Amino acid sequence: MALAVEQTSPEPEEEERLLTAYALGDREAFTQLVGLIGSRLYGFVCRFLRDACLAEDVYQEILVKLAKNASGFDRRAKFNTWLYRIARNACLDELRKKKRGKTLNIDNPDDRRENGLETLPSDTPPPDERATMAELGKKIAEAVANLPEEQREVFLLKEDGGLTFAEIAETLGCGLETVKSRMRYALARLRSALAREARLFGMADKI
Amino acid sequence: MKPENENRILDCLYGEPGDGSGAPGFSAEELREAEDLQKILSAYRALPCPTPPSGATEKALMLAESSSSAKVTTLPPRRFIFHPFWGVAALFVVVCTLLYTMPERVEQKTKTFDTRNFEQPAPADAPDMNEALEKRNEAKPSAIVTKSVAEDEERDRDNLKITADQAPPAAPMRRGMAEGKGGGGFGELREEANGLRTLADAKHDGKDAMAAADKSPELKRDRDDRASAMPELAIAAEKAESVAAQNAVKKTRQPVLGIPAEQEKTVPIAGAVQAEPKALRKAKEEKKRAEPKDEIDELADREVGKSALPTPRLTAESAKLAEAVATARYAEVVRLLGQKDYTGCLRLSDRLLANLEKPAENAVKSSAPEDRVILLSLKARCEIELGTVAAAKQTLDLLRAVSPENAALLEREYADKLAGQ
C-alpha cells in the first residue's frame, strides 16, 4: 500500500516571481499571488484562530505585511516559510491581544458557518455520502480545534501550509525532532478522538 | 510504540526523504495505525477550505501603499515636542550654565588676576621707562650714562610702582572678590590680591626680594636685625643691590653710543648675601652725613669758579672759606684758615699750590701770580709753626724766588725758630 500523500502547494518559484514582480511595481502580480496562496493561508488562519471574524482581520493584516515587506524578501528562506512565519506571528499577536480563550463550538451553527465548515464543494457526493462527509468534517474540525496550540500549529502548518518539517522547524524556531514529536502527538490525539467515529472511516472492525 | 516507528509512520504518511514508502517492516498494528491516520488526513484534506474575504487583496494593497507613503511624513507634533533630543539639549544647557557660573578655582583665579593686572601692556598714560631712558640718552648723546646707579634704581622703582598702581582694575567679579564683596566665601581673596600686587612689584627687574622686603614688615624687621648684627652683610647687600640695579638699567635702556645694551659689561652679583633694606640704606646715608667730612679736602677738591654756593653741610665760617677758595681770594683763605689749626692750613696750601702748578684751567687762577706768593708764605708759616724747619726753609727758598721781600719778612718774623734749628 502506498500511503504517501502528494502535497498540493503551488510552485515556490512562481510565488517568489510574483512577489518580486510586485516589489518592482506590478500590482497585478500581487493579486495573482494572493490568488495562489489566499485559500490555504486563510484556512490556516481560520483554523489557527478558530474565529472567522478575527481570521478575516488577521488575514487582511497578513496581506498588508506581505505587500509592505515584498521588497524585503531576500530569498534566504523559502517563500512559504517566510509567509507562514508572518502569518503565525500575526495570529499569535492577535491571540495575545484579544486574549481569546474561546474554543470553537462545532455544534454552534454560527461557528460552523463562520469557519466554513458548512461550505461543501459543489461536486459533492450523493446525499447519503455527503451527510457522512459532513459529519466527518465536523468531527475532524472539532478534533483539530481541540488540539493543544503547539500541536495544532504544527499540524496546520503541515496540512494547510504545506511546509516540510524542516520548514516548520525554521518557522517556529525549534528543532526538527521537536516538530516531528509534536506532529506525532497531534496525530495520536486525532486518532484517539476520532476512534468513536470509526465507522465513519470504515475502521470499525479495526479499532 | 517506539519513537523510531512513529517517525517511520510520519515518513510513510508525508513521504519525505528517508520515509518507509510501502511501509516495509511494519507490524500489523503499525500498519493499521498508519492506515487510520491516512484516512483521517484524507478526510481533513477533503474538507472544504474557507473562502477568503473578497476584496481583501485590493484593500491590503491600498493600506500598504498608504502606510508606506505615510512613512515619509514628518513626526507628529506631539512626538516632536516630547522628543528625547530636547531633554539632552536641556541637560547640556544646564551643565554649560553651571560650568560658566561656577566660581573658578583659586589657582586659576590667581593666574587670571596676575594676567589681567600685570602681564598686559601698561596703560597709555603710564610712564614708559624705555622712552624716558632714551630721552635721557639723547640729552647727553656723547656721554655714557654716568648717573649714579642708586639714582636710576630709585627712579625705576618709582616708575614700576606707578605702573602697578595705574594698572586697570580687575573685572567686576574679580574686583568684588578681591574687595571681599563677592559671595561664596571668597572674601579672603582680598588679602591674596594685595599679596599678589606686592609680589608683582617684586618680580620686575630681578628685585623681587628687595621690594618684597621693603613692603613686608616682617621681612624688613628681620633684615634690619640681621644687618645691624652683621655690618659686613649689609655692605655686601648694598653692593648686590647696586649691581642688580645697574644690570636692570642696562637691560631696559636703549643702546648708548651704538653699543647694544646686552653687550655692555654686566657686573656679576658676587658676594651678594642678601639685598639691603631701604631703611638700612637710608640710615647709613644719614650716618655718613652726620660724620664731619674733611673740610679741607672738600674745599681743595672743589673746582675754582664752579661751586660758588656753599653746600648745606658747611657752617657760615666754612661757607666764607669756600667762597674765598672759589673766587681765588687766597688771602682770605689764609686768613680764615689761620684761625684754625696749622695742619689743615698746610694741607690746604699744598693742595692749592698743586692746583696752581696745573695747566691753566680757569682764568681766575692764571691771572693772579701773587696767589703763589700768598700760598707759599702760608705754607712756610705753617711749617715753621709745626716745627718742620727744613721744609719751611725749602718753602722759603721757593718764596724767595718769587718774592724776596715776603721771604725776608718771614725770615725776620720767625728768626728765632729758624735759628733754633
Side-chain angles (χ1 to χ4, degrees), chain A:
Chain A
M1 170 181 95
L3 294 175
V5 178
E6 295 276 337
Q7 297 291 312
T8 56
S9 60
E11 290 295 325
E13 291 79 10
E14 179 67 9
E15 294 165 353
E16 291 176 7
R17 187 190 66 77
L18 290 172
L19 186 68
T20 305
Y22 170 70
L24 294 173
D26 186 2
R27 286 169 58 97
E28 185 59 30
F30 188 79
T31 307
Q32 293 178 15
L33 177 65
V34 173
L36 283 176
I37 63 169
S39 180
R40 287 188 297 124
L41 182 64
Y42 184 66
F44 169 81
V45 172
C46 281
R47 286 162 183 153
F48 195 95
L49 295 174
R50 294 172 295 185
D51 186 330
C53 294
L54 196 60
E56 283 188 11
D57 294 339
V58 173
Y59 175 72
Q60 182 75 59
E61 184 182 344
I62 291 169
L63 291 185
V64 171
K65 286 184 179 177
L66 186 65
K68 278 185 184 177
N69 300 310
S71 57
F73 177 64
D74 55 2
R75 296 174 186 268
R76 280 185 298 186
K78 287 186 177 179
F79 173 78
N80 274 340
T81 307
W82 180 67
L83 173 67
Y84 279 96
R85 188 183 296 150
I86 293 173
R88 175 184 174 261
N89 290 338
C91 292
L92 289 176
D93 288 345
E94 193 63 27
L95 286 176
R96 289 191 196 107
K97 193 160 58 179
K98 301 292 182 182
K99 297 188 183 302
R100 296 224 172 173
K102 178 186 173 185
T103 53
L104 183 65
N105 185 3
I106 302 295
D107 295 331
N108 187 348
D110 293 338
D111 285 349
R112 290 162 60 187
R113 188 169 52 254
E114 285 172 0
N115 286 276
L117 297 180
E118 289 187 345
T119 306
L120 296 175
S122 56
D123 53 345
T124 53
D128 55 339
E129 191 175 347
R130 197 169 57 193
T132 304
M133 292 294 290
E135 191 177 357
L136 177 64
K138 170 185 161 186
K139 294 293 181 185
I140 291 175
E142 185 180 356
V144 170
N146 288 330
L147 286 174
E149 187 173 314
E150 290 180 346
Q151 297 172 19
R152 191 172 73 248
E153 68 181 358
V154 171
F155 180 84
L156 292 177
L157 285 171
K158 184 65 184 172
E159 290 297 322
D160 291 347
L163 304 181
T164 64
F165 288 122
E167 289 170 351
I168 294 171
E170 187 181 349
T171 302
L172 301 180
C174 57
L176 179 62
E177 289 304 316
T178 305
V179 171
K180 285 185 177 180
S181 176
R182 288 176 185 174
M183 188 65 186
R184 285 197 305 270
Y185 284 118
L187 292 176
R189 189 177 286 261
L190 286 177
R191 184 171 178 250
S192 172
L194 297 173
R196 289 170 294 177
E197 311 297 334
R199 65 175 182 85
L200 297 175
F201 302 98
M203 307 184 290
D205 55 336
K206 297 173 184 174
I207 297 177

Side-chain angles (χ1 to χ4, degrees), chain B residues 40-69:
Chain B
I40 292 171
L41 291 176
S42 297
Y44 178 79
R45 289 166 190 158
L47 287 175
C49 281
T51 309
S54 60
T57 307
E58 287 300 319
K59 192 176 176 183
L61 280 172
M62 194 172 62
L63 286 173
E65 287 167 359
S66 63
S67 63
S68 62
S69 63

